Structures are given as C-alpha cells and as structure tokens.
Amino acid sequence: MLRFRRLDRRTVRSGPAAISEDSLTRLADIVRQGAIALAWLLAATLVALGAAGVVAGMDTPPAPGIDRTGRTGHGDAQVDAALDPIEADMHALSDSVGALGEQARVILASLSSVKTDQVDTATATGTQLVADIEAR
C-alpha cells in the first residue's frame, strides 16, 4: 500500500510572487551581511586610530633649545675612551690565563712521564702567573 504525504500549500510557491519574495529575502540577507561587515570595519578602524593616538601621545617633544639628533655621539666617544684601557687589561688577563692553562698541561704531561724537573719549572711559572693574575 502506498502512502502519500499531504502537501502543505504554504510551502509550495508558484508564480511571480514566489520569485519576488525569494529575491527580497536574499537582498535582505545581503544588506544585513554588508551592514555587519561595515560595523566590524568601523570598529577595527576606531581601535587602530586609538592605538595610534596612544603612540603619538607617548612621543614627547624635546625641551626648548635641545637638539636630540646627535645626543649619543658625544657620550659614545667618552665611553669608548674610558673602555679602551679596560679592554687592553682584559686582553692581557686573557693571555695570562691562557699561559696558566698551558703550564697546567705541561705539569700533567710531565707527571705522566715522571719528569720532576719539568713539573717543578712549570709549577714555579704557574705560581708566578697566578700571583700576576691576583695582582690585576
């Protein structure tokens, strides 16, 4: 036995009235989506302009009569002049520590081959290097 569902006459549309009703529904959807997109764009623009205002407000103008264009050049030259002797001392200290490491290797190599005279010489040289490093 075959059964048929009843047709709901409200869902069945025919003729030009149905076409214009569908077109109006689609047009209303498009307008609504466009309005939402425009609102989001406006909100993003307002946030961006607000952030730009905060950044511009944080940039302080120079005090009257002060030129900030080359303000670090003179200070950099003074710091470089003060650091040059320190750099030379650090290079000399580095060389002394390297020489102390070399004496330690000589001592280890001499101990493994039982050469006590080289151990004594390297120990004396190393002791002098340690005294120089402590003095610096």
Side-chain angles (χ1 to χ4, degrees), residues 41-106:
L41 181 63
L42 180 64
T45 302
L46 289 175
V47 168
L49 289 175
V54 168
V55 170
M58 291 175 59
D59 186 25
T60 59
I66 295 177
D67 180 26
R68 293 188 347 180
T69 56
R71 65 181 169 172
T72 61
H74 180 65
D76 288 349
Q78 289 178 345
V79 170
D80 283 343
L83 288 177
D84 285 342
I86 296 171
E87 183 181 7
D89 287 343
M90 294 305 287
H91 283 296
L93 182 63
S94 174
D95 293 342
S96 295
V97 170
L100 182 62
E102 181 64 34
Q103 294 303 318
R105 284 189 286 279
V106 169

Short mmCIF file of all heavy atoms in Angstrom, two decimals, residues 41-106:
data_model
loop_
_atom_site.label_atom_id
_atom_site.label_comp_id
_atom_site.label_asym_id
_atom_site.label_seq_id
_atom_site.Cartn_x
_atom_site.Cartn_y
_atom_site.Cartn_z
N LEU A 41 34.37 46.69 10.27
CA LEU A 41 35.42 47.53 9.70
C LEU A 41 35.52 48.84 10.46
O LEU A 41 36.63 49.33 10.74
CB LEU A 41 35.13 47.78 8.22
CG LEU A 41 36.15 48.62 7.46
CD1 LEU A 41 37.49 47.91 7.43
CD2 LEU A 41 35.67 48.89 6.04
N LEU A 42 34.41 49.43 10.81
CA LEU A 42 34.40 50.67 11.57
C LEU A 42 35.01 50.45 12.96
O LEU A 42 35.82 51.27 13.43
CB LEU A 42 32.97 51.21 11.70
CG LEU A 42 32.81 52.51 12.47
CD1 LEU A 42 33.52 53.64 11.75
CD2 LEU A 42 31.34 52.83 12.66
N ALA A 43 34.68 49.34 13.61
CA ALA A 43 35.25 49.04 14.93
C ALA A 43 36.77 48.86 14.85
O ALA A 43 37.52 49.37 15.69
CB ALA A 43 34.59 47.80 15.52
N ALA A 44 37.23 48.14 13.84
CA ALA A 44 38.68 47.94 13.67
C ALA A 44 39.39 49.25 13.41
O ALA A 44 40.50 49.49 13.91
CB ALA A 44 38.94 46.95 12.54
N THR A 45 38.78 50.12 12.62
CA THR A 45 39.37 51.43 12.33
C THR A 45 39.46 52.26 13.59
O THR A 45 40.48 52.92 13.84
CB THR A 45 38.53 52.16 11.26
OG1 THR A 45 38.47 51.35 10.09
CG2 THR A 45 39.14 53.50 10.91
N LEU A 46 38.42 52.25 14.41
CA LEU A 46 38.45 53.01 15.66
C LEU A 46 39.52 52.49 16.61
O LEU A 46 40.22 53.29 17.25
CB LEU A 46 37.07 52.96 16.33
CG LEU A 46 35.97 53.77 15.62
CD1 LEU A 46 34.64 53.54 16.31
CD2 LEU A 46 36.32 55.23 15.57
N VAL A 47 39.70 51.19 16.70
CA VAL A 47 40.74 50.62 17.56
C VAL A 47 42.13 51.03 17.04
O VAL A 47 43.02 51.40 17.81
CB VAL A 47 40.60 49.08 17.65
CG1 VAL A 47 41.83 48.46 18.28
CG2 VAL A 47 39.36 48.72 18.43
N ALA A 48 42.32 50.98 15.73
CA ALA A 48 43.61 51.34 15.15
C ALA A 48 43.92 52.82 15.38
O ALA A 48 45.05 53.18 15.73
CB ALA A 48 43.62 51.03 13.66
N LEU A 49 42.93 53.67 15.21
CA LEU A 49 43.16 55.10 15.44
C LEU A 49 43.42 55.39 16.91
O LEU A 49 44.24 56.25 17.24
CB LEU A 49 41.96 55.90 14.93
CG LEU A 49 41.80 55.94 13.41
CD1 LEU A 49 40.52 56.66 13.03
CD2 LEU A 49 43.00 56.61 12.75
N GLY A 50 42.76 54.66 17.79
CA GLY A 50 43.01 54.84 19.22
C GLY A 50 44.42 54.43 19.59
O GLY A 50 45.09 55.11 20.36
N ALA A 51 44.89 53.32 19.03
CA ALA A 51 46.26 52.88 19.30
C ALA A 51 47.27 53.88 18.76
O ALA A 51 48.29 54.17 19.39
CB ALA A 51 46.50 51.50 18.70
N ALA A 52 46.99 54.42 17.59
CA ALA A 52 47.90 55.43 17.01
C ALA A 52 47.92 56.68 17.89
O ALA A 52 48.97 57.31 18.05
CB ALA A 52 47.46 55.77 15.59
N GLY A 53 46.80 57.03 18.46
CA GLY A 53 46.76 58.19 19.35
C GLY A 53 47.57 57.96 20.61
O GLY A 53 48.24 58.86 21.11
N VAL A 54 47.53 56.75 21.14
CA VAL A 54 48.32 56.43 22.34
C VAL A 54 49.81 56.53 22.02
O VAL A 54 50.59 57.10 22.78
CB VAL A 54 47.96 55.03 22.87
CG1 VAL A 54 48.95 54.57 23.92
CG2 VAL A 54 46.55 55.03 23.43
N VAL A 55 50.21 56.00 20.88
CA VAL A 55 51.63 56.05 20.50
C VAL A 55 52.07 57.49 20.27
O VAL A 55 53.15 57.90 20.71
CB VAL A 55 51.87 55.19 19.23
CG1 VAL A 55 53.25 55.42 18.68
CG2 VAL A 55 51.67 53.73 19.56
N ALA A 56 51.24 58.27 19.60
CA ALA A 56 51.59 59.68 19.36
C ALA A 56 51.65 60.45 20.66
O ALA A 56 52.49 61.35 20.83
CB ALA A 56 50.58 60.31 18.41
N GLY A 57 50.80 60.13 21.62
CA GLY A 57 50.82 60.82 22.90
C GLY A 57 52.04 60.48 23.73
O GLY A 57 52.46 61.27 24.57
N MET A 58 52.61 59.31 23.53
CA MET A 58 53.78 58.91 24.30
C MET A 58 55.07 59.53 23.78
O MET A 58 56.08 59.54 24.47
CB MET A 58 53.91 57.38 24.31
CG MET A 58 52.81 56.71 25.11
SD MET A 58 52.84 54.92 25.01
CE MET A 58 54.44 54.53 25.66
N ASP A 59 55.07 60.02 22.57
CA ASP A 59 56.26 60.64 21.98
C ASP A 59 56.36 62.06 22.50
O ASP A 59 55.58 62.94 22.13
CB ASP A 59 56.16 60.63 20.46
CG ASP A 59 57.44 61.14 19.81
OD1 ASP A 59 58.50 61.05 20.44
OD2 ASP A 59 57.35 61.63 18.66
N THR A 60 57.32 62.28 23.39
CA THR A 60 57.46 63.60 23.99
C THR A 60 58.31 64.51 23.12
O THR A 60 59.32 64.08 22.56
CB THR A 60 58.10 63.50 25.38
OG1 THR A 60 59.39 62.89 25.23
CG2 THR A 60 57.25 62.67 26.31
N PRO A 61 57.92 65.75 23.00
CA PRO A 61 58.74 66.68 22.21
C PRO A 61 60.00 67.07 22.99
O PRO A 61 60.00 67.04 24.22
CB PRO A 61 57.82 67.89 22.01
CG PRO A 61 56.87 67.82 23.16
CD PRO A 61 56.70 66.37 23.49
N PRO A 62 61.08 67.44 22.30
CA PRO A 62 62.30 67.83 23.01
C PRO A 62 62.09 69.15 23.74
O PRO A 62 61.26 69.98 23.35
CB PRO A 62 63.34 67.96 21.90
CG PRO A 62 62.54 68.21 20.67
CD PRO A 62 61.24 67.51 20.85
N ALA A 63 62.86 69.32 24.79
CA ALA A 63 62.80 70.58 25.53
C ALA A 63 63.33 71.71 24.65
O ALA A 63 64.14 71.48 23.74
CB ALA A 63 63.62 70.46 26.80
N PRO A 64 62.88 72.94 24.88
CA PRO A 64 63.34 74.06 24.04
C PRO A 64 64.85 74.26 24.14
O PRO A 64 65.42 74.23 25.22
CB PRO A 64 62.60 75.27 24.63
CG PRO A 64 61.48 74.71 25.43
CD PRO A 64 61.89 73.34 25.85
N GLY A 65 65.46 74.41 22.99
CA GLY A 65 66.90 74.66 22.93
C GLY A 65 67.76 73.41 22.97
O GLY A 65 68.97 73.51 23.01
N ILE A 66 67.16 72.23 22.94
CA ILE A 66 67.94 70.99 22.99
C ILE A 66 67.82 70.27 21.66
O ILE A 66 66.72 70.08 21.15
CB ILE A 66 67.44 70.07 24.13
CG1 ILE A 66 67.70 70.74 25.48
CG2 ILE A 66 68.13 68.72 24.06
CD1 ILE A 66 67.17 69.94 26.64
N ASP A 67 68.96 69.89 21.10
CA ASP A 67 68.99 69.14 19.84
C ASP A 67 69.21 67.68 20.17
O ASP A 67 70.24 67.31 20.71
CB ASP A 67 70.10 69.68 18.94
CG ASP A 67 70.17 68.93 17.63
OD1 ASP A 67 69.15 68.40 17.20
OD2 ASP A 67 71.27 68.90 17.02
N ARG A 68 68.22 66.82 19.87
CA ARG A 68 68.32 65.40 20.21
C ARG A 68 68.85 64.56 19.04
O ARG A 68 68.93 63.35 19.16
CB ARG A 68 66.96 64.86 20.62
CG ARG A 68 66.51 65.47 21.89
CD ARG A 68 65.27 64.92 22.53
NE ARG A 68 64.42 64.04 21.79
CZ ARG A 68 63.31 63.53 22.28
NH1 ARG A 68 62.94 63.82 23.49
NH2 ARG A 68 62.55 62.73 21.56
N THR A 69 69.22 65.16 17.94
CA THR A 69 69.61 64.36 16.78
C THR A 69 70.94 63.65 17.00
O THR A 69 71.11 62.52 16.57
CB THR A 69 69.70 65.23 15.53
OG1 THR A 69 70.60 66.32 15.77
CG2 THR A 69 68.33 65.78 15.17
N GLY A 70 71.88 64.28 17.66
CA GLY A 70 73.19 63.64 17.86
C GLY A 70 73.53 63.52 19.31
O GLY A 70 74.68 63.67 19.69
N ARG A 71 72.57 63.26 20.15
CA ARG A 71 72.80 63.29 21.58
C ARG A 71 73.67 62.15 22.09
O ARG A 71 74.22 62.22 23.16
CB ARG A 71 71.49 63.31 22.34
CG ARG A 71 70.67 62.07 22.17
CD ARG A 71 69.39 62.18 22.92
NE ARG A 71 68.52 61.08 22.52
CZ ARG A 71 67.41 60.80 23.08
NH1 ARG A 71 67.00 61.55 24.07
NH2 ARG A 71 66.67 59.81 22.67
N THR A 72 73.81 61.07 21.35
CA THR A 72 74.59 59.95 21.84
C THR A 72 76.01 59.93 21.28
O THR A 72 76.84 59.19 21.78
CB THR A 72 73.91 58.62 21.50
OG1 THR A 72 73.80 58.51 20.10
CG2 THR A 72 72.55 58.52 22.15
N GLY A 73 76.29 60.69 20.27
CA GLY A 73 77.62 60.66 19.67
C GLY A 73 78.71 61.08 20.65
O GLY A 73 79.75 60.43 20.77
N HIS A 74 78.49 62.16 21.36
CA HIS A 74 79.50 62.65 22.31
C HIS A 74 79.65 61.68 23.48
O HIS A 74 80.77 61.36 23.91
CB HIS A 74 79.08 64.04 22.82
CG HIS A 74 80.04 64.62 23.80
ND1 HIS A 74 81.33 64.97 23.46
CD2 HIS A 74 79.92 64.91 25.12
CE1 HIS A 74 81.96 65.45 24.51
NE2 HIS A 74 81.12 65.43 25.54
N GLY A 75 78.53 61.16 24.00
CA GLY A 75 78.58 60.20 25.10
C GLY A 75 79.26 58.90 24.69
O GLY A 75 80.00 58.30 25.47
N ASP A 76 78.99 58.45 23.47
CA ASP A 76 79.63 57.23 22.98
C ASP A 76 81.14 57.39 22.91
O ASP A 76 81.90 56.48 23.25
CB ASP A 76 79.09 56.86 21.60
CG ASP A 76 77.67 56.33 21.65
OD1 ASP A 76 77.18 56.05 22.76
OD2 ASP A 76 77.06 56.20 20.57
N ALA A 77 81.61 58.54 22.47
CA ALA A 77 83.06 58.78 22.38
C ALA A 77 83.69 58.75 23.77
O ALA A 77 84.79 58.20 23.95
CB ALA A 77 83.33 60.11 21.70
N GLN A 78 83.01 59.32 24.77
CA GLN A 78 83.55 59.31 26.13
C GLN A 78 83.61 57.89 26.69
O GLN A 78 84.59 57.50 27.33
CB GLN A 78 82.70 60.19 27.04
CG GLN A 78 82.84 61.66 26.77
CD GLN A 78 81.94 62.50 27.66
OE1 GLN A 78 81.01 61.98 28.27
NE2 GLN A 78 82.22 63.79 27.73
N VAL A 79 82.56 57.12 26.46
CA VAL A 79 82.54 55.75 26.96
C VAL A 79 83.60 54.90 26.27
O VAL A 79 84.29 54.10 26.91
CB VAL A 79 81.13 55.14 26.81
CG1 VAL A 79 81.14 53.66 27.09
CG2 VAL A 79 80.14 55.85 27.72
N ASP A 80 83.74 55.06 24.95
CA ASP A 80 84.76 54.31 24.23
C ASP A 80 86.16 54.63 24.75
O ASP A 80 87.00 53.74 24.91
CB ASP A 80 84.69 54.60 22.73
CG ASP A 80 83.55 53.87 22.05
OD1 ASP A 80 83.02 52.91 22.65
OD2 ASP A 80 83.19 54.27 20.92
N ALA A 81 86.43 55.91 25.02
CA ALA A 81 87.74 56.31 25.55
C ALA A 81 87.98 55.69 26.93
O ALA A 81 89.10 55.29 27.25
CB ALA A 81 87.84 57.82 25.61
N ALA A 82 86.94 55.60 27.75
CA ALA A 82 87.10 55.02 29.08
C ALA A 82 87.25 53.50 29.03
O ALA A 82 87.89 52.90 29.89
CB ALA A 82 85.90 55.40 29.96
N LEU A 83 86.66 52.86 28.02
CA LEU A 83 86.71 51.41 27.94
C LEU A 83 87.97 50.87 27.26
O LEU A 83 88.28 49.69 27.41
CB LEU A 83 85.47 50.89 27.20
CG LEU A 83 84.15 50.97 27.96
CD1 LEU A 83 83.01 50.49 27.08
CD2 LEU A 83 84.21 50.16 29.23
N ASP A 84 88.70 51.70 26.53
CA ASP A 84 89.90 51.23 25.83
C ASP A 84 90.95 50.66 26.78
O ASP A 84 91.47 49.56 26.53
CB ASP A 84 90.48 52.34 24.96
CG ASP A 84 89.67 52.58 23.70
OD1 ASP A 84 88.87 51.68 23.32
OD2 ASP A 84 89.81 53.67 23.09
N PRO A 85 91.32 51.34 27.88
CA PRO A 85 92.31 50.73 28.78
C PRO A 85 91.79 49.45 29.45
O PRO A 85 92.55 48.51 29.69
CB PRO A 85 92.60 51.80 29.83
CG PRO A 85 91.77 52.98 29.52
CD PRO A 85 90.98 52.69 28.30
N ILE A 86 90.50 49.42 29.74
CA ILE A 86 89.92 48.22 30.34
C ILE A 86 90.00 47.05 29.36
O ILE A 86 90.31 45.92 29.75
CB ILE A 86 88.46 48.49 30.78
CG1 ILE A 86 88.44 49.55 31.89
CG2 ILE A 86 87.78 47.22 31.24
CD1 ILE A 86 87.06 50.05 32.24
N GLU A 87 89.75 47.34 28.10
CA GLU A 87 89.83 46.29 27.08
C GLU A 87 91.26 45.75 26.97
O GLU A 87 91.47 44.53 26.86
CB GLU A 87 89.36 46.83 25.74
CG GLU A 87 89.35 45.81 24.64
CD GLU A 87 88.90 46.39 23.31
OE1 GLU A 87 88.72 47.62 23.19
OE2 GLU A 87 88.75 45.60 22.37
N ALA A 88 92.24 46.64 27.02
CA ALA A 88 93.64 46.20 26.96
C ALA A 88 93.98 45.33 28.17
O ALA A 88 94.67 44.31 28.03
CB ALA A 88 94.56 47.42 26.90
N ASP A 89 93.50 45.73 29.36
CA ASP A 89 93.75 44.92 30.56
C ASP A 89 93.09 43.55 30.44
O ASP A 89 93.66 42.53 30.86
CB ASP A 89 93.22 45.63 31.81
CG ASP A 89 94.08 46.81 32.21
OD1 ASP A 89 95.24 46.90 31.74
OD2 ASP A 89 93.58 47.65 32.99
N MET A 90 91.90 43.49 29.90
CA MET A 90 91.21 42.21 29.74
C MET A 90 91.94 41.30 28.76
O MET A 90 92.00 40.08 28.96
CB MET A 90 89.77 42.44 29.30
CG MET A 90 88.91 43.14 30.34
SD MET A 90 88.90 42.32 31.93
CE MET A 90 87.91 40.92 31.59
N HIS A 91 92.49 41.87 27.69
CA HIS A 91 93.27 41.05 26.74
C HIS A 91 94.52 40.49 27.42
O HIS A 91 94.87 39.32 27.22
CB HIS A 91 93.65 41.86 25.50
CG HIS A 91 92.53 42.04 24.53
ND1 HIS A 91 91.94 41.00 23.86
CD2 HIS A 91 91.89 43.16 24.12
CE1 HIS A 91 90.98 41.45 23.07
NE2 HIS A 91 90.92 42.77 23.21
N ALA A 92 95.19 41.32 28.21
CA ALA A 92 96.38 40.86 28.92
C ALA A 92 96.02 39.78 29.93
O ALA A 92 96.73 38.77 30.07
CB ALA A 92 97.08 42.03 29.61
N LEU A 93 94.91 39.95 30.63
CA LEU A 93 94.45 38.95 31.59
C LEU A 93 94.10 37.64 30.89
O LEU A 93 94.43 36.56 31.37
CB LEU A 93 93.25 39.48 32.37
CG LEU A 93 92.68 38.59 33.45
CD1 LEU A 93 93.71 38.35 34.54
CD2 LEU A 93 91.41 39.20 34.02
N SER A 94 93.48 37.76 29.74
CA SER A 94 93.14 36.57 28.96
C SER A 94 94.40 35.82 28.53
O SER A 94 94.44 34.58 28.59
CB SER A 94 92.31 36.96 27.75
OG SER A 94 92.08 35.86 26.92
N ASP A 95 95.41 36.57 28.13
CA ASP A 95 96.68 35.93 27.75
C ASP A 95 97.32 35.23 28.95
O ASP A 95 97.87 34.12 28.83
CB ASP A 95 97.65 36.97 27.17
CG ASP A 95 97.17 37.52 25.84
OD1 ASP A 95 96.29 36.87 25.19
OD2 ASP A 95 97.63 38.61 25.44
N SER A 96 97.25 35.85 30.13
CA SER A 96 97.82 35.24 31.34
C SER A 96 97.09 33.95 31.71
O SER A 96 97.71 32.96 32.09
CB SER A 96 97.77 36.22 32.51
OG SER A 96 98.58 37.34 32.26
N VAL A 97 95.78 33.97 31.60
CA VAL A 97 95.00 32.77 31.92
C VAL A 97 95.32 31.66 30.91
O VAL A 97 95.43 30.49 31.26
CB VAL A 97 93.49 33.10 31.96
CG1 VAL A 97 92.64 31.84 32.04
CG2 VAL A 97 93.18 34.00 33.14
N GLY A 98 95.49 32.03 29.63
CA GLY A 98 95.87 31.05 28.62
C GLY A 98 97.24 30.44 28.91
O GLY A 98 97.44 29.22 28.77
N ALA A 99 98.18 31.28 29.33
CA ALA A 99 99.51 30.78 29.67
C ALA A 99 99.46 29.87 30.91
O ALA A 99 100.18 28.87 30.99
CB ALA A 99 100.47 31.95 29.93
N LEU A 100 98.59 30.20 31.87
CA LEU A 100 98.42 29.36 33.06
C LEU A 100 97.86 27.99 32.66
O LEU A 100 98.32 26.96 33.17
CB LEU A 100 97.51 30.05 34.07
CG LEU A 100 97.26 29.32 35.39
CD1 LEU A 100 98.58 29.15 36.15
CD2 LEU A 100 96.26 30.08 36.22
N GLY A 101 96.94 27.96 31.74
CA GLY A 101 96.41 26.69 31.25
C GLY A 101 97.49 25.87 30.55
O GLY A 101 97.54 24.64 30.69
N GLU A 102 98.35 26.54 29.82
CA GLU A 102 99.45 25.84 29.15
C GLU A 102 100.40 25.23 30.18
O GLU A 102 100.85 24.08 30.02
CB GLU A 102 100.21 26.82 28.25
CG GLU A 102 101.36 26.21 27.49
CD GLU A 102 100.91 25.15 26.50
OE1 GLU A 102 99.81 25.28 25.92
OE2 GLU A 102 101.66 24.16 26.31
N GLN A 103 100.69 25.96 31.26
CA GLN A 103 101.57 25.41 32.32
C GLN A 103 100.90 24.21 33.00
O GLN A 103 101.58 23.24 33.35
CB GLN A 103 101.90 26.49 33.35
CG GLN A 103 102.75 27.62 32.81
CD GLN A 103 104.06 27.14 32.20
OE1 GLN A 103 104.73 26.27 32.73
NE2 GLN A 103 104.40 27.70 31.05
N ALA A 104 99.59 24.25 33.15
CA ALA A 104 98.88 23.12 33.75
C ALA A 104 98.99 21.89 32.85
O ALA A 104 99.19 20.76 33.34
CB ALA A 104 97.42 23.48 33.99
N ARG A 105 98.89 22.08 31.54
CA ARG A 105 99.05 20.94 30.63
C ARG A 105 100.47 20.38 30.68
O ARG A 105 100.67 19.16 30.61
CB ARG A 105 98.67 21.36 29.21
CG ARG A 105 97.18 21.46 28.99
CD ARG A 105 96.84 21.65 27.52
NE ARG A 105 97.14 23.00 27.03
CZ ARG A 105 96.37 24.06 27.21
NH1 ARG A 105 95.24 23.94 27.86
NH2 ARG A 105 96.71 25.23 26.73
N VAL A 106 101.45 21.26 30.79
CA VAL A 106 102.85 20.81 30.90
C VAL A 106 103.03 19.98 32.18
O VAL A 106 103.69 18.93 32.17
CB VAL A 106 103.82 22.01 30.87
CG1 VAL A 106 105.24 21.60 31.25
CG2 VAL A 106 103.81 22.66 29.49
#
